Amino acid sequence: MRRRREEPGWLQGKPPPRWARLAPAVALVVLVFAQRITPGDVELGFFLAGLPPVAAFAYGAAGTAVFATVVLFLLGVPWLGVGHARGTDLATVAAIGLLSVVIAWVRRRRDAQLVSVRTVAEAAQLAVLPPVPDRVGPVRCAGLYRAAQRGTLVGGDLYDVRIGPYGVRALVGDVQGHGLAAVGTVAALLGAFREGVLDDPELADVAVRLDRRLLADTAGSAGSAAPAGPPEPVDPADPAPAPAGYPELFATALLLEFPPGLDLVRIVSCGHPPALLLRASTVSEVGVEPGPPLGLGLAGPDLAVVADVPLLPGDRLLAHTDGVTEARDTAGDFYPLAARVPVLAKDPAGLAGAVWEDLVEFTHGGPRDDVALLVLSLPDAADPA
């Protein structure tokens, strides 16, 4: 699975590139050589005083101190012919060098803290939404996730593929909001889905479980937004709407189930964009009557419409979030996913990656919303699975 990662720059914890480390040394040699071939009435040596601050961005305190010492030596020894600093001039250069050493020390400490924080944050986010394996039971999987918020791995979209006693089940969803603010809701939905994979015999029951999870979270997070008086208790067995006055927390979702031994997929849509079925060179939307979004208290076994879609060898299902189809180009046109898939499906690098690259080109830099893509297929008859 590919993830959008905001790689740390060399000023944000990543080791500086080679050119950044060589630049101060090269500038030192060039300035000394230029001063030696310049007439005596032209003073270039004092430009050396700017090298320690430059070195502070690429070296630690010790390396910066070496540059500061070399600069002081070159400017303070007259017979070298580089500079003729005396008194207050030499003291000023020394003060600049000392300040540069302090800056380098602070920067190194900050970089170490930043690396530690990033490592913990990435581990936590990957625990919430781990990579999808290439195969779950008999189902082949390929996923791609791009968070809208820079520097994050998880946003407001989610997907997962799990195997249980009732077959392989997959979830693609999009919660209210995006970025880190939605990660808590994503984690709650994924936890409820993984329980439903093991416990719920019907796919519609999984949708009900997710709906109840959001209802409970809505009531529990109302806080000061709740109406005056004690809140009404929320019965997890009763999919009733949240009490009036409480903020709504909702999500759209597409649930898929591959029953064992059957060449079909069962799909339940909770207000989510339809999946695409790729069959040979044709692409079509999977006709599923959408139910209400999750979190509104409207989901139930009687309202969730389960569609059985027969699958042929070589068929692929592409589930996605609205971050794909609602992405616009500079003219304001929406991204034509269904029209582009037949061409992109031929990319040897994989359909999910090809769609993302095409989406970035279409939007001139990438969409501003979270993007999740999940490609699922059953093995061919010749595949030993």
Side-chain angles (χ1 to χ4, degrees):
M1 182 192 71
R2 297 184 181 181
R3 290 286 188 84
R4 176 176 183 166
R5 288 188 60 156
E6 184 68 22
E7 296 293 344
W10 67 279
L11 296 179
Q12 296 178 321
K14 185 178 179 181
R18 183 183 299 272
W19 66 264
R21 299 179 65 86
L22 291 177
V26 172
L28 178 67
V29 174
V30 170
L31 285 173
V32 170
F33 178 75
Q35 182 63 68
R36 296 299 298 269
I37 64 175
T38 301
D41 57 342
V42 178
E43 184 68 52
L44 299 177
F46 283 103
F47 284 104
L48 294 172
L51 293 184
V54 174
F57 287 98
Y59 291 87
T64 305
V66 170
F67 272 97
T69 301
V70 171
V71 168
L72 281 174
F73 179 77
L74 292 174
L75 295 179
V77 179
W79 58 267
L80 293 176
V82 178
H84 304 83
R86 291 291 183 272
T88 57
D89 291 339
L90 201 59
T92 300
V93 175
I96 293 174
L98 179 61
L99 181 61
S100 301
V101 171
V102 173
I103 292 174
W105 179 78
V106 172
R107 184 188 62 81
R108 277 295 176 89
R109 282 182 56 87
R110 173 188 170 278
D111 287 350
Q113 293 172 350
L114 184 60
V115 169
S116 177
V117 169
R118 289 183 64 91
T119 301
V120 173
E122 290 181 1
Q125 293 179 79
L126 287 174
V128 172
L129 193 64
V132 174
D134 295 335
R135 186 187 290 265
V136 177
V139 179
R140 291 182 180 143
C141 312
L144 182 143
Y145 195 103
R146 295 292 186 269
Q149 184 170 336
R150 294 173 62 86
T152 62
L153 302 180
V154 180
D157 290 357
L158 65 147
Y159 57 40
D160 199 6
V161 185
R162 299 278 166 160
I163 188 170
Y166 310 105
V168 176
R169 287 173 173 172
L171 166 68
V172 178
D174 185 356
V175 308
Q176 177 188 12
H178 60 265
L180 291 177
V183 173
T185 306
V186 168
L189 283 176
L190 287 173
F193 169 73
R194 290 160 187 168
E195 292 177 357
V197 168
L198 299 176
D199 299 336
D200 296 327
E202 300 296 333
L203 191 60
D205 295 334
V206 181
V208 175
R209 180 186 292 267
L210 299 179
D211 186 64
R212 291 171 181 163
R213 176 70 270 166
L214 287 184
L215 284 175
D217 289 350
T218 296
S221 63
S224 60
E232 299 179 16
V234 176
D235 184 358
D238 178 21
Y246 287 98
E248 289 183 346
L249 184 64
F250 64 90
T252 66
L254 195 69
L255 292 162
L256 303 96
E257 178 183 271
F258 296 85
L262 299 178
D263 292 333
L264 60 84
V265 59
R266 295 191 175 111
I267 302 178
V268 171
S269 175
C270 301
H272 198 78
L276 298 180
L277 175 62
L278 288 72
R279 176 168 292 169
S281 59
T282 64
V283 176
S284 60
E285 290 187 351
V286 178
V288 180
E289 183 179 343
L294 303 171
L296 304 181
L298 302 177
D302 297 333
L303 296 178
V305 179
V306 181
D308 287 356
V309 180
L311 296 177
L312 299 178
D315 285 354
R316 285 180 287 177
L317 286 165
L318 173 61
H320 59 88
T321 56
D322 60 11
V324 179
T325 52
E326 293 184 359
R328 297 173 181 260
D329 61 8
T330 55
D333 297 325
F334 290 108
Y335 179 68
L337 176 62
R340 295 293 302 154
V341 164
V343 177
L344 301 175
K346 302 174 183 178
D347 193 315
L351 177 59
V355 170
W356 172 252
E357 295 297 333
D358 191 56
L359 186 60
V360 170
E361 182 179 355
F362 179 83
T363 57
H364 299 282
R368 297 182 180 180
D369 196 3
D370 301 319
V371 167
L373 295 164
L374 185 62
V375 183
L376 304 170
S377 63
L378 291 175
D380 297 335
D383 193 331

